[in-house]
Amino acid sequence: MLHSMSTTVEAVSERSAAEVNEEIRALWRRSGGTLTTEQRAEYQRLVMEWAAAAPQSHRAA
């Protein structure tokens, strides 16, 4: 099975990490703990949005 990756650039999320996290939690609640193919794609999109919105740690190496 081949998977395609989007080549479009999406705008930076205007939502906070907390808002996106709540949507992720709601998706899992609606799914009953098992995601369909469509829900999995939505979950992946949300995780990427969450990662972009989450504050970054600035620790020294």
Side-chain angles (χ1 to χ4, degrees), residues 16 25 28 33 35 44 58:
S16 70
R25 290 175 183 264
W28 278 106
L35 299 176
Q44 290 174 345
H58 298 287

Side-chain angles (χ1 to χ4, degrees), residues 56-61:
Q56 301 297 314
S57 175
H58 298 287
R59 294 184 288 179

Side-chain angles (χ1 to χ4, degrees), residues 40-52:
R40 218 172 295 131
E42 176 70 3
Y43 173 75
Q44 290 174 345
R45 185 193 64 76
L46 288 168
V47 168
M48 294 300 289
E49 182 180 351
W50 174 85

Side-chain angles (χ1 to χ4, degrees), residues 10-17 19-20 45 48-50 52-53:
E10 294 185 22
V12 174
S13 175
E14 299 274 333
R15 301 190 296 171
S16 70
E19 289 171 310
V20 178
R45 185 193 64 76
M48 294 300 289
E49 182 180 351
W50 174 85

